[in-house]
Amino acid sequence: QVQPVESGGGLVQVGGSLRLSCARSGPTFTYMTMAWFRQSPAKERELLAYINSSGSATYYAESVKGRFTISRDNAKEMVYLQMQDLKPEDTAVYYCNSYAVNSGRARDSWGQGTQVTVSS
């Protein structure tokens, strides 16, 4: 089963920016809606954003709308999450996955994720 590989996390100050990357190879990438999630201790995994297969449509959770931007490069089989104006509550492990919009479920195995820590 496909397992995405996330990277780009780190320690950043409040108000700072980070760009996360996700490599998700496989022959079906260009047909997949892709999504970013995050999970912090004692909280359930949260859907942040998703982007359709062509990149022409996106969705954002209210918690990140206006601050985060999801994008994809189908030629490189990559998905990105540009994060701006980061807040302490954005501290979490961030994951990407292919996403079934109708069921609201991730399709792939979960990767290791990438840790984002926002310091105040």
Side-chain angles (χ1 to χ4, degrees):
Q1 195 172 11
V2 176
Q3 187 175 70
V5 178
E6 302 90 351
S7 62
L11 176 64
V12 63
Q13 291 186 334
V14 169
S17 301
L18 279 175
R19 187 195 194 207
L20 306 184
S21 299
C22 170
R24 193 270 187 193
S25 60
T28 60
F29 179 84
T30 55
Y31 302 104
M32 290 288 190
T33 291
M34 295 298 297
W36 282 96
F37 302 78
R38 70 185 177 192
Q39 188 168 20
S40 51
K43 289 187 177 181
E44 293 187 355
R45 191 166 284 154
E46 173 189 10
L47 173 67
L48 301 177
Y50 61 78
I51 185 167
N52 70 348
S53 58
S54 67
S56 62
T58 56
Y59 159 87
Y60 295 95
E62 285 298 321
S63 58
V64 303
K65 190 177 292 184
R67 300 189 299 122
F68 291 10
T69 303
I70 189 171
S71 62
R72 67 189 293 161
D73 185 333
N74 283 347
K76 295 180 179 179
E77 297 181 325
M78 296 288 292
V79 183
Y80 306 98
L81 187 68
Q82 178 67 47
M83 306 187 295
Q84 300 177 353
D85 190 23
L86 284 163
K87 305 175 181 181
E89 52 263 42
D90 294 319
T91 295
V93 179
Y94 284 68
Y95 303 87
C96 74
N97 211 309
S98 60
Y99 184 66
V101 175
N102 289 343
S103 66
R105 294 183 177 182
R107 294 177 178 268
D108 298 329
S109 299
W110 292 101
Q112 294 297 310
T114 187
Q115 175 72 46
V116 172
T117 303
V118 184
S119 64
S120 57

